[in-house]
Amino acid sequence: MANPLIPGITATEQDLLYQKLNAYNRQKTSFKEVGAYLVVLPRADHPRYSLWIYSPLPERQSIFYIFDLDEDIHEALRISSTLCYYSSRPLFLVEYNAKRMQNRGDDIISFGKYHGHYLHEILQVDPGYLTWIAFKFTPRIPKQERFAQIARIYHSVYIDILQRKAQQPSIGRYLGKEGEKVENLVLTIFSVRLEDDPYKTQVKGTTPYFYVRQILKLKDASGNLVTFRISSRTASRHSCQLPAMEHAYRIDETVHIASARIANTYTIGKNKWTRLNYVKIRQ
């Protein structure tokens, strides 16, 4: 696989990067057997490097988008190599290929609570649902068979991520004890999930009205993990879709909390979580 020219760096820096990448791939399995992770170079309408996966399984398009990385090549490779470190798949730098990478819509969910969303989005917000599609969903037409096949590819990405997490030491500490007040928190969002509030959802006549909640996962500067819910104040006509007037929180957004109460603390795997309620966000 030919190495592309990397924009914005010298030839010496480029040679050093490829030497490091070759060393990283030395213990990996051949991409012809297990596929590969691809760091795709920026392009005119897309200034960031992005992470993709190549799979040798599907008979048509075999390269699928995962998420954006960074505009800096060093940071992009750091993120991707760290994430994929425990995977058997090698990691390559490649140029964007519209013919092979342009989305054809066969990875869009056509049913359920994530109707209209892409599988790569569900990988980020609800990997459990992705697992269900991959192994429990029953295809009825050939198009759905390919959809389930793509879901299994994304599920394999999730397993690679879990392998990395399994090697990590215990993360974070609790911010306090249940019932205690916390103030002046600065948190960064790394996961956003939408769900309907089952207690507020109602039907007027034949029109459904959904009150959508945003489930946020965040961390502070020390890596302590925090979660809380933001409920919409107005109703939406569509399930799991925020009304236009509500603020839609995004990954990497910084949230300043004036005060909150600790609802409870718990541990998942090696991660310590603090769940907040009565959250007052400083605008």
Side-chain angles (χ1 to χ4, degrees):
M1 192 173 290
N3 293 329
L5 293 175
I6 303 174
I9 65 173
T10 65
T12 302
E13 287 179 296
Q14 177 173 277
D15 289 343
L16 182 59
L17 277 179
Y18 279 124
Q19 288 175 23
K20 291 181 178 179
L21 195 54
N22 289 337
Y24 173 89
N25 287 331
R26 202 161 288 147
Q27 303 300 319
K28 304 293 185 179
T29 307
S30 169
F31 74 93
K32 296 180 181 179
E33 297 178 30
V34 298
Y37 286 107
L38 307 177
V39 174
V40 176
L41 270 62
R43 49 198 187 274
D45 58 340
H46 207 100
R48 290 191 175 195
Y49 289 84
S50 52
L51 185 65
W52 300 61
I53 182 170
Y54 160 74
S55 171
L57 297 178
E59 59 281 357
R60 297 198 297 273
Q61 180 191 359
S62 56
I63 301 177
F64 302 96
Y65 171 81
I66 300 176
F67 53 70
D68 283 349
L69 294 166
D70 196 273
E71 294 185 14
D72 177 73
I73 179 58
H74 300 281
E75 182 64 10
L77 282 177
R78 185 197 67 79
I79 295 170
S80 54
S81 62
T82 301
L83 184 71
C84 310
Y85 186 80
Y86 292 99
S87 171
S88 60
R89 295 181 174 116
L91 179 68
F92 299 118
L93 264 168
V94 300
E95 292 180 303
Y96 179 76
N97 185 319
K99 183 177 180 180
R100 300 188 66 192
M101 297 178 176
Q102 193 168 36
N103 188 276
R104 292 171 171 79
D106 46 7
D107 57 344
I108 297 177
I109 300 174
S110 60
F111 54 83
K113 61 180 180 179
Y114 293 115
H115 181 277
H117 287 270
Y118 291 96
L119 288 171
H120 69 79
E121 295 176 315
I122 307 309
L123 171 65
Q124 302 298 316
V125 301
D126 195 349
Y129 192 78
L130 179 68
T131 302
W132 178 86
I133 295 174
F135 299 106
K136 298 295 185 181
F137 171 68
T138 303
R140 292 182 172 82
I141 58 176
K143 182 178 180 180
Q144 292 180 340
E145 291 177 0
R146 177 165 170 77
F147 170 76
Q149 188 180 47
I150 296 172
R152 287 192 287 273
I153 293 171
Y154 278 114
H155 177 265
S156 73
V157 175
Y158 174 57
I159 295 301
D160 283 344
I161 295 172
L162 284 184
Q163 288 185 45
R164 172 179 171 265
K165 290 181 177 179
Q167 305 297 326
Q168 293 178 324
S170 178
I171 295 177
R173 62 176 179 81
Y174 303 132
L175 298 189
K177 297 180 180 180
E178 183 175 337
E180 289 183 347
K181 184 179 181 180
V182 290
E183 297 178 308
N184 301 320
L185 300 179
V186 180
L187 306 171
T188 302
I189 298 172
F190 65 87
S191 174
V192 181
R193 178 168 62 87
L194 301 181
E195 68 175 20
D196 299 327
D197 186 336
Y199 299 103
K200 290 186 177 181
T201 298
Q202 55 187 288
V203 178
K204 296 181 180 179
T206 59
T207 304
Y209 290 86
F210 302 93
Y211 284 83
V212 180
R213 300 186 293 207
Q214 298 180 77
I215 314 300
L216 306 183
K217 292 181 179 180
L218 316 93
K219 58 185 176 181
D220 65 13
S222 300
N224 301 315
L225 303 174
V226 178
T227 183
F228 59 87
R229 300 185 301 192
I230 300 289
S231 298
S232 62
R233 293 164 293 180
T234 55
S236 170
R237 299 291 183 87
H238 303 283
S239 174
C240 290
Q241 181 175 316
L242 285 173
M245 298 302 293
E246 296 288 336
H247 176 72
Y249 287 91
R250 295 286 182 263
I251 293 174
D252 292 333
E253 182 176 348
T254 300
V255 178
H256 298 263
I257 296 178
S259 65
R261 291 283 178 183
I262 296 178
N264 68 316
T265 58
Y266 57 93
T267 301
I268 298 179
K270 298 179 181 180
N271 299 336
K272 295 182 177 180
W273 288 87
T274 301
R275 187 169 70 85
L276 303 178
N277 57 12
Y278 303 106
V279 176
K280 295 181 180 180
I281 295 177
R282 182 177 290 118
Q283 303 300 326

